[in-house]
Amino acid sequence: QVQLTESGGGSVQAGGSLRLSCAVSTYHGSNYCLGWFRQVPGKVREWVGHIDSDGRTTYADSVTGRFTISKDNTKYTLYLQMNNLKHEDTALYYCAADSGYYREHAVRCPRDKEFGYYGQGTQVTVSS
């Protein structure tokens, strides 16, 4: 069982930056991939991006070039650096973990499917 706790959400003006953090209760870098999702009320939860166990990152087109996912294996923490925020980035952001699949000597995150574990979420509000 993996427990995830997000922090760092808040309100910011368009063009500003925020960094979200996610504390992972059990964290074996070789066993899990980690990612971020977001959800707006009334809409389906949306994948933002993920980081495989070897550090390879993949992003949604809507955030590419503005958001960066990283992790600190020594602190059992996942990060989401968000720059040049837009009003449409306003959402509840979730940290997520998944056992993924093994390929090319690393655990790869699944695509186009829900992850196995989610945190409670942290709200990000961007004012235009």
Side-chain angles (χ1 to χ4, degrees):
Q1 189 76 14
V2 179
Q3 293 184 330
L4 307 164
T5 306
E6 304 93 339
S7 62
S11 297
V12 64
Q13 290 189 332
S17 298
L18 278 175
R19 188 176 80 158
L20 306 184
S21 299
C22 175
V24 185
S25 65
T26 56
Y27 187 35
H28 301 284
S30 61
N31 293 338
Y32 288 98
C33 66
L34 301 170
W36 290 94
F37 288 71
R38 65 187 182 185
Q39 188 170 25
V40 175
K43 294 190 176 181
V44 175
R45 184 157 49 193
E46 173 190 26
W47 169 77
V48 173
H50 62 240
I51 183 166
D52 297 334
S53 66
D54 63 354
R56 180 190 297 180
T57 53
T58 308
Y59 301 95
D61 290 343
S62 60
V63 305
T64 296
R66 301 188 298 121
F67 290 12
T68 302
I69 295 173
S70 61
K71 60 180 179 176
D72 186 332
N73 290 348
T74 64
K75 297 180 179 179
Y76 294 1
T77 303
L78 175 72
Y79 301 100
L80 178 65
Q81 177 66 45
M82 304 183 292
N83 297 328
N84 191 21
L85 282 161
K86 304 176 181 180
H87 177 67
E88 51 264 41
D89 294 319
T90 296
L92 186 63
Y93 282 73
Y94 295 92
C95 172
D98 196 271
S99 56
Y101 60 95
Y102 194 77
R103 180 173 292 177
E104 297 177 337
H105 310 291
V107 176
R108 305 296 172 192
C109 290
R111 293 296 306 272
D112 302 322
K113 68 179 289 289
E114 291 287 303
F115 278 30
Y117 304 94
Y118 290 89
Q120 294 300 307
T122 185
Q123 179 67 36
V124 172
T125 301
V126 184
S127 58
S128 56

